[in-house]
Structures are given as C-alpha cells and as structure tokens.
Amino acid sequence: MTTLTEVARHAGVTPATVSNVLRNRGKVGAATRERVLASVEALGYRPNLTARALAEGRGPTLALMVSSIANPFYPEFALEAERAARKRGHFLLVCNTDDDSNVGSAYLDRIAGTLSQGVLVMNADLHFDDLIKTQRRGASVVLCMWERPDDPPGLSCIAVDFRQAGRLAARHLLELGHRRIGAIVGSAPNGVQAIRYVGLVDALAQVDASLPAKLEQETRFVEDDVEGGYAAAMDLLDASPDLTAIFVSNDFPALGVLHAAADRGLRVPEDLSVIGITDIHWARLSRPALTTVAVPTAQAAEMAVELVLELIHDTPKEPTTWIAGEPQLVVRKSTGPAPSRG
Amino acid sequence: MTTLTEVARHAGVTPATVSNVLRNRGKVGAATRERVLASVEALGYRPNLTARALAEGRGPTLALMVSSIANPFYPEFALEAERAARKRGHFLLVCNTDDDSNVGSAYLDRIAGTLSQGVLVMNADLHFDDLIKTQRRGASVVLCMWERPDDPPGLSCIAVDFRQAGRLAARHLLELGHRRIGAIVGSAPNGVQAIRYVGLVDALAQVDASLPAKLEQETRFVEDDVEGGYAAAMDLLDASPDLTAIFVSNDFPALGVLHAAADRGLRVPEDLSVIGITDIHWARLSRPALTTVAVPTAQAAEMAVELVLELIHDTPKEPTTWIAGEPQLVVRKSTGPAPSRG
DNA sequence: CTGAAAGCGCTAACAC
DNA sequence: GTGTTAGCGCTTTCAG
C-alpha cells in the first residue's frame, strides 16, 4: 500500500504538502501541486481513511441502528440514508439490534464515538439512557422518525407528523362516506404508532362527536406486520361484520387486512375499504393496490444524515428537532365509496 | 474520552500492560489484571477501534456491495451477513452502487484496503477488473452468490447450485403433469440467472427430448422485478394461451406472474401453476402463497463472512470456492396438477 | 510478568 | 508556499 510519505518522497516534497494538496487546505504552489498530483497518480495512492480518522479525531462512518434490516421499511430508509451519507463523503454502518436492547446497547458501546461519530436511530428497542450515554461519549445521535413534531423527545430528531397522516387517512375514508370504521394499530396502545390513531380520532370527532367512542370497540393493537394485520382484521370482522372500512396505522398490517378480506370473500374496495400509512414499495404491488398515506421517507433520511453531520460539527446544548415534509394521501385501489346497506 | 493511557495511569501500569489485559495477550499477573480491569470499569474505558485498526493494519468493518439495499432480496442477506459479522466482532458497511458501476468502482477505490479489509460482493454491476484491483490493494473479496459451483469465477466465492434449483422447480411442475410450460428469466439470456433456465431444460429433456425446443418459443428474458414478470406473463399468455405452468427464475417476477394471472381471470393453481426460485420472505405472503425453490441465503451469508475473514487472515494464491447447501423445493399454493384439457 | 519505545498513516500547528 | 514537529490511541517487539 502506498502511503502519503511515499508520495511525498516521490514528488520531492514533505508529507504535509501532499496532505495540503489532497485536502485543498493551505496554499500550495501550482507547480508543486501538479507534481504531487502526478505522483499520486503514478503511485496509485489512496488515502488511508483509518489513519485520517484517527488524526482528525472522527471517522467517516455513520451508524444506522435498526431492529432488523430485513424489516421491509428499513431498507427503503437505509438506501436513502446511504446515498445522503455518500454524497457527503460518509459511509453507512448497518447495525441490527435483533429486537434485543442488549444487542443495541452493546453496539452503541462498541462503536459510538470511535468508529462512528454519528448514530442514526430508527428503532425503538433502544433504551433512551443508552442513547444519552452515547452522546456523553462524544457521539451525536438523531432519532430518524419521531412521530410527534409537537412533542420533541429529549434527543435530536427528524420529526414527521404522523398524527396528520392519521387524519388524512381518516378524512379520505370519511369523504367516501364511511362511518362504520374499524382501526388496527401496529403497536401497543401507548406505543409509537398510537399517535396515528389519535389522528384518526381527530378526524372522526370533527365529523361526529359520537364516533370516537364507538371506535374504541373496533380497534385492535397488534404486531406491526402482515400476520398481525391479518389476525386483527379477522377478529374485527367477526366482532363487527358491518364495518365498511378499516384504518390501519401501517402498510404491513394493511396488507394483512387485504388478505383477510380475500379469505372472507369480501371484495376490496366494494365491500370493504382498507387504508394504510407509510407508502412502502410493496403498497403499490398488492392486490388491489393499497391506498395509503405516504410519509416523506427519503427526505427524512437525508435530513437525518444532514442533521447528524451538523451535530458532529458542533453539538448544541439543546436537542434539535427538524420537521420533515407533510404526509400525502395516495389513492390507489383499496378504498372506495361506502357500500349503501340495504 | 478515556484512553488506554489514562487507564494505565489510573491502574499504575503501562499502556502495554493494559493492552495485554484487554486482548488476553501476553501473560499478566492476576493481581495487575484485576487492578487494570477495575480501572477500566471505573473510568468507563472503551477501546478506540480506529486507533486499534490503524495499529493492527486492518479494521473491523466488512463492506457489502449491493446494487440497492432496497432491492428486496438483499436485506435478507444483509441481515444474516451482519449477524455473522457481529458474531465475529466485525461490522457491516452497506454500499449501494445504485446500479452504476462507476459508483461501485469509486466505493472500492475509497474504502477497500483501509476502512474495510474485506469486501462482500452481491451484485453484478461491478467490473471484475475493479475487484481484482481491489484485491491487489490488499483487500479480500468474495462473491456471495455465485450461481455455478461447477464453473468458478476468477475470484473467491460462495457458490449455490442454481442449476439444481432450476431442476427442482422444473421437476415439481413435471411431476404435477405439466407439459406446456413457459419460462420467465429475470436476466439476459447470458445473464446471471440463465443457469437456472438451464436447470429447467435439463429436467425437461430428461422427460421428453422434444420439450426443450418447444420451450424456446415460450421463454422471456426480462427485468428481475415484479413488473418484469407481469409483463412477460401477459406476453407469454397471449402467445401461448394453452400454457398450464410458468417457471420463473426468481421470486419477484413470479409475484408479477401471479398478478398477471389474476388480471386475466386465471385461477392459480387451478388454471395455471407458477413457481419461483429463492424463497424470499414475501413469497409466503402472496396470494396464493408462492411455491418456490428455497436457496440457502442465511448459510451463504454466514459462509461469505467466514470466508472473507479467513482470506483476510491469510490470502491464498488461488481463489477459494465454498459451496453452500442444496436448494430445497418449498411447495405452497401456487402450483397444482396440470388441468386436463378437454 | 511488566515497562520502554517505536510506529501504524495522516493532520495540524507553527516555523522558515 | 513549504518544511518541521508533534501527536491521534493503540499494538507490539524487545528489554529488564
């Protein structure tokens, strides 16, 4: 491996000058500059990023903490995050916590502050304490998809207004004439996705103050996956066969609801409308294609990278919250007018 | 940040001793050992991985090159690769090439040999030359899913017998009585997935020597995604409405075929059987659930990590090929007996 | 068994 | 403008 020093020797200058040429730092004479560049070329020199990181006190990698990169929403985010990082000369380390906070903890313990100066947090199964501790070690951390812009956490974050997403989904259903609406939420009643449900309640109350109370019987809090949505829909449809629409707080369980409807012989959207939130790639590929509320994933990823880099540059005393763009309704084929009941 | 030296001072020993304790190197007296550990604990010391990497001459990160981590097969592989790496004290850098060989090239140029001593290659849009060059720079590279165990490339790789996968898929169709079989291949005729098609031809020829010739008219080479499969199926079904089964070289396009069948009013599997290869997570979630030939993804990922680590340890003159386990038929709901035509 | 010393490859003051 | 000099934090001979 060729080193900076070798290039310097080859060009007849000192390492410092080569470094200056490469970083466009300091002022270097055009002549020496050319000479150095020629040597770099001739020797096929490439800077050693590890050495540079050590000297600069911070490396070029960002850590992305997810519960499992195979969880289908994360790759879409990771792709954008990696691109954003790359555009800024950084690299992305993918850290699966395997839904185990100990693994997450250990990860932070090992890499934060040395290998990665910046940590992007996507999943919830990390203890807040660990993140705070991580910050004290000198790393910057940003929560990538905080669901409540109005209620910032104690950490820097990119916030997306999921309450509004819930409202948009609900209004769409309401405008189609649905009043018998069930809800499936992909988290615990006090979990992350609960705020989307609050959005639903908002919209319902606006139309008819009595609706939210009824809704409670027709809500299920479940695992945030296809199977969870399937089971909840079956259950809901058993309990309330007259539902004409199901609001689902996330696209995966919504896909499960589509399956449940099919297995029950219910036509979507003629007999039952289904709406999700997020607009994952697969939403457009389901049968029928899923109507959903798109969330600005790519933008959030880019903002997260930008914010964490800024925080690394200089860490403010107070956590920073950046708010990503508004959710957008995406009408596809899984929602339609409420059937008129004989 | 606490450093090794600080720990040493605190414990009243030299940095070397602390290092020895931490790495379980050399022999350290039980007493000093205790003292050092106590100091590590007291100061909350964590080794600086960057410094260690520089001193050791190789870092703890492995690079995973993919065209796009959002391409749904990769995350499943990446998850396993990350786990395997983590188990061995390493970290995984995800590098998207964005289907652009220049991006891939630049990636290798920047990180290989310094940030990452090991490179796992999943995608094909990297020039072989670049990989060879990468090796000369001191990095180890392994191709993660080479499709032809019998025909090793010029690089170390994990091979999976995709020809056999093709055979298994074909035999399943044949055993169900299908003779009018169409094929959809998710790559160019001379592309990566072509060998799966060869497996199909093998099996067909074994049953009836005249079958392969007919098959040629009923084969489409397309983009390796849902849309590609959809369009090809539509085309195929137009050209040969009497097909009773479609062999698809990959699960994504197979999912598209399912959609095409639905849009044509064809019942699967009553009217048309569909089989894929790979067994991605979504295969079990389609309607009907996709019959497919499972490929040992997790095993290949683990082997790839192990091999690359071994190659880093000491690089043999000749490339190494490790062969992963056999593909396995997974029968679900998209295949059934060939309909008897009136 | 423990200490001293050199060095990994690069950057960043500060001189010249 | 360019060279000199110290490190960054750790590992690793080699002495003692």
Side-chain angles (χ1 to χ4, degrees), chain A residues 46 49-50 54 75 82-83 86 91-94 96 98 103 107 109 111 114 259 263 282 285 287, chain B residues 46 50 54 75 82-83 86 91-94 96 98 103 107 109-111 114 259 263 282 285 287:
Chain A
R46 292 294 177 277
L49 299 186
T50 299
L54 181 58
E82 186 275 341
R83 283 180 177 159
R86 169 153 40 95
F91 304 99
L92 197 70
L93 230 33
V94 168
N96 296 118
D98 283 346
V103 174
Y107 242 125
D109 215 39
I111 68 175
T114 70
H259 291 179
D263 284 356
W282 288 94
L285 300 174
R287 312 294 286 193
Chain B
R46 292 295 175 277
T50 299
L54 181 58
E82 187 275 340
R83 283 182 178 157
R86 170 154 37 97
F91 303 99
L92 197 71
L93 229 34
V94 167
N96 297 118
D98 282 347
V103 174
Y107 241 125
D109 216 39
R110 285 204 64 194
I111 68 175
T114 70
H259 291 179
D263 283 356
W282 288 94
L285 299 173
R287 313 292 288 192

Side-chain angles (χ1 to χ4, degrees), chain A residues 148-219:
Chain A
R148 282 161 293 173
D150 55 309
D151 176 27
L155 290 165
S156 290
C157 68
I158 304 301
V160 173
D161 193 349
F162 274 94
R163 181 171 182 169
Q164 175 65 5
R167 282 195 205 103
L168 291 176
R171 279 184 203 147
H172 175 62
L173 259 20
L174 258 7
E175 279 163 12
L176 287 169
H178 296 276
R179 290 300 178 275
R180 298 291 298 124
I181 299 175
I184 295 175
V185 182
S187 74
N190 56 350
V192 273
Q193 293 184 18
I195 195 70
R196 310 178 186 187
Y197 178 72
V198 173
L200 165 64
V201 172
D202 290 348
L204 251 36
Q206 211 170 338
V207 164
D208 177 346
S210 72
L211 254 24
K214 282 190 221 149
L215 179 66
E216 276 184 49
Q217 322 302 322
E218 281 139 14
T219 298

Side-chain angles (χ1 to χ4, degrees), chain A residues 122-322:
Chain A
M122 274 302 302
N123 62 336
D125 50 52
L126 281 169
H127 293 313
F128 232 68
D129 303 354
D130 286 331
L131 295 174
I132 302 282
K133 209 184 297 175
T134 300
Q135 286 189 140
R136 274 201 295 268
R137 269 229 195 75
S140 300
V141 355
V142 355
L143 267 29
C144 293
M145 279 255 172
W146 184 250
E147 309 229 339
R148 282 161 293 173
D150 55 309
D151 176 27
L155 290 165
S156 290
C157 68
I158 304 301
V160 173
D161 193 349
F162 274 94
R163 181 171 182 169
Q164 175 65 5
R167 282 195 205 103
L168 291 176
R171 279 184 203 147
H172 175 62
L173 259 20
L174 258 7
E175 279 163 12
L176 287 169
H178 296 276
R179 290 300 178 275
R180 298 291 298 124
I181 299 175
I184 295 175
V185 182
S187 74
N190 56 350
V192 273
Q193 293 184 18
I195 195 70
R196 310 178 186 187
Y197 178 72
V198 173
L200 165 64
V201 172
D202 290 348
L204 251 36
Q206 211 170 338
V207 164
D208 177 346
S210 72
L211 254 24
K214 282 190 221 149
L215 179 66
E216 276 184 49
Q217 322 302 322
E218 281 139 14
T219 298
R220 299 289 182 277
F221 293 89
V222 297
E223 283 295 304
D224 185 26
D225 52 29
V226 176
E227 292 80 1
Y230 181 91
M234 284 304 204
D235 181 26
L236 222 41
L237 262 9
D238 277 339
S240 316
D242 62 333
L243 292 178
T244 65
I246 299 184
F247 165 104
V248 194
S249 72
N250 207 9
D251 287 350
F252 300 113
L255 262 18
V257 174
L258 254 25
H259 291 179
D263 284 356
R264 287 222 160 217
L266 255 32
R267 292 164 305 158
V268 175
E270 294 82 354
D271 302 323
L272 183 75
S273 283
V274 179
I275 190 167
I277 291 180
T278 306
D279 195 20
I280 56 170
H281 184 66
W282 288 94
R284 116 190 41 222
L285 300 174
S286 64
R287 312 294 286 193
L290 187 70
T291 292
T292 186
V293 175
V295 136
T297 309
Q299 191 198 7
E302 177 136 24
M303 288 175 83
V305 168
E306 204 166 325
L307 177 54
V308 83
L309 255 22
E310 198 159 310
L311 294 178
I312 289 173
H313 191 75
D314 61 5
T315 313
K317 274 274 166 280
E318 295 302 307
T320 309
T321 295
W322 283 2

